[in-house]
Amino acid sequence: MKKMAENLFFPSLPTVGEQNFLRDAAPASHDNKASSRPSPPDKAPSPGPGKHSNRKKQARHYRAIFISDTHLGTRAARVDLLLDFLKSVTCDKLFLVGDIIDGWQIKRTWYWDTTHNDVIRRVLKMAKHGTDVIYIPGNHDEALRGFEGHNMAGVELVPDMVYEAANGKRYWVLHGDQFDGVVKYAKWLAHVGDRAYVMLLKLNTWVNWLRRKMGYSYWSLSKYLKQKVKNAVEYIGRFEEAVAAEAKRRGVDGVICGHIHHAERRFFDGIDYMNDGDWVESCTALVEYDDGRFEILHWADEVAARKENNNKRGKSGKARELTPVAAE
């Protein structure tokens, strides 16, 4: 069963040399994990040997990071921004809150490039060096449901969980498709909608190709349309209210989820509702600082600002534009 779970988690990794890869990615011993845990935010992480030490010094540290809906296995996944984000941060806990690998799309049209592998390897390296990685499967990676309780190369699978923040507040963490009536009661319609959504994302890719040619930063057409279409806005509102109501019934202080590709933080009757967004449209992550504060990071905006800054400094030869880096 463990081997089957590993095959599900690594659906696209090359078979040649796979045993060596899994051996290298396996979690270190307990003593090694303790000694390699990232330094607290007020102290820069210790630089490792080699050419990457300068970049590691600049890594931001968080107590916990929550990401979901990366949809690896699709052309629409912004794996370049996701990899850049994962290379720019360290954390004690990394929560993968569902739809990490898009099994629906992979079954229809196979797509997987080396950058997708780099993302997987980066996550496994984080697990190897002391980060607790928790994977909560969603509806697009539902093949992993039923394997909860297993640990695959340092990644722990759970159906959902209650997470205690640094300030003592308790948050229910889940993907959220349980509160999507279409997914729950009309799965065929969900697949039809998914195909239409893929077409919209392809159009979004072309739009952003033109924007890059014209010197503009990333912009999400699908996100813009969702904000403008009344029915989509109403659906998002009902989803948020339903999830928050169930969190209140469970007696927790808040809820953290994904699924609807809409990064948001709102309060419903005293319940702190947080959605970490996605890495197809908004390219966002939810992070917790060591004092229990939460923040939604909009990584596409941060990369655009960094590029603009580097371009300005590049005129004097002091910096150059960011290019995505491969996983170490």
Side-chain angles (χ1 to χ4, degrees):
M1 182 174 290
K2 182 177 180 181
K3 182 63 178 177
M4 185 182 301
E6 289 175 346
N7 290 336
L8 286 169
F9 186 63
F10 307 113
S12 61
L13 295 179
T15 55
V16 179
E18 185 180 64
Q19 292 182 351
N20 291 334
F21 168 74
L22 291 175
R23 180 199 62 204
D24 295 338
S29 65
H30 179 75
D31 293 338
N32 290 337
K33 290 180 69 175
S35 62
S36 61
R37 185 169 296 278
S39 305
D42 58 342
K43 182 179 180 181
S46 300
K51 59 184 179 181
H52 299 291
S53 59
N54 290 334
R55 178 162 38 80
K56 288 182 179 179
K57 288 181 180 179
Q58 300 172 356
R60 308 183 196 177
H61 179 78
Y62 300 101
R63 186 172 187 265
I65 295 176
F66 302 81
I67 61 174
S68 73
D69 299 274
T70 60
H71 290 274
L72 299 180
T74 68
R75 295 182 183 275
R78 291 307 309 267
V79 288
D80 54 339
L81 291 174
L82 177 59
L83 183 58
D84 179 69
F85 170 72
L86 292 174
K87 296 287 289 183
S88 302
V89 299
T90 61
C91 58
D92 296 333
K93 293 182 181 293
L94 173 63
F95 289 87
L96 307 175
V97 195
D99 287 0
I100 302 303
I101 298 174
D102 195 329
W104 289 10
Q105 185 65 17
I106 288 176
K107 288 179 181 178
R108 293 198 296 262
T109 306
W110 178 264
Y111 177 77
W112 195 279
D113 64 17
T114 55
T115 313
H116 290 67
N117 279 347
D118 289 338
V119 169
I120 296 293
R121 287 189 170 98
R122 178 59 185 170
V123 171
L124 294 179
K125 183 173 183 180
M126 294 174 73
K128 180 180 179 181
H129 287 274
T131 299
D132 295 328
V133 181
I134 300 96
Y135 193 149
I136 300 174
N139 51 303
H140 282 258
D141 46 16
E142 60 189 353
L144 290 173
R145 288 178 170 170
F147 290 92
E148 292 90 344
H150 289 78
N151 187 295
M152 299 183 300
V155 179
E156 180 184 0
L157 269 75
V158 299
D160 63 349
M161 68 176 297
V162 174
Y163 170 69
E164 184 173 338
N167 56 14
K169 291 186 177 181
R170 299 165 66 247
Y171 294 86
W172 181 33
V173 186
L174 74 161
H175 178 63
D177 60 293
Q178 303 93 318
F179 295 88
D180 187 335
V182 175
V183 172
K184 189 172 183 180
Y185 299 110
K187 195 169 184 178
W188 65 270
L189 185 57
H191 281 276
V192 172
D194 182 61
R195 288 176 180 268
Y197 182 60
V198 169
M199 293 178 62
L200 179 60
L201 292 176
K202 288 181 179 178
L203 178 60
N204 186 70
T205 301
W206 281 102
V207 168
N208 278 283
W209 179 82
L210 289 173
R211 285 177 62 86
R212 284 196 301 272
K213 291 293 184 181
M214 299 172 65
Y216 293 102
S217 60
Y218 175 78
W219 175 75
S220 176
L221 172 64
S222 51
K223 180 181 178 181
Y224 172 80
L225 292 176
K226 282 201 301 186
Q227 291 173 342
K228 294 298 182 181
V229 178
K230 182 180 178 180
N231 288 341
V233 174
E234 290 178 350
Y235 163 78
I236 291 172
R238 291 195 299 268
F239 174 88
E240 294 172 342
E241 290 172 1
V243 175
E246 177 61 20
K248 186 175 183 64
R249 189 189 71 82
R250 290 173 176 248
V252 294
D253 299 293
V255 60
I256 298 171
C257 63
H259 184 60
I260 59 172
H261 294 206
H262 184 71
E264 183 71 272
R265 185 177 188 182
R266 299 178 62 186
F267 287 87
F268 295 91
D269 194 18
I271 296 296
D272 189 359
Y273 167 91
M274 292 181 283
N275 193 301
D276 57 30
D278 67 283
W279 288 87
V280 173
E281 301 175 46
S282 55
C283 300
T284 53
L286 176 69
V287 298
E288 180 200 5
Y289 294 90
D290 282 345
D291 58 3
R293 289 181 298 113
F294 285 90
E295 180 185 2
I296 296 174
L297 301 181
H298 295 263
W299 202 249
D301 295 341
E302 295 205 18
V303 169
R306 191 195 314 167
K307 286 183 177 180
E308 182 179 356
N309 206 21
N310 286 347
N311 287 337
K312 289 179 180 179
R313 295 170 57 195
K315 294 179 180 179
S316 59
K318 295 180 180 179
R320 62 176 181 269
E321 185 175 338
L322 164 79
T323 55
V325 291
E328 294 177 352

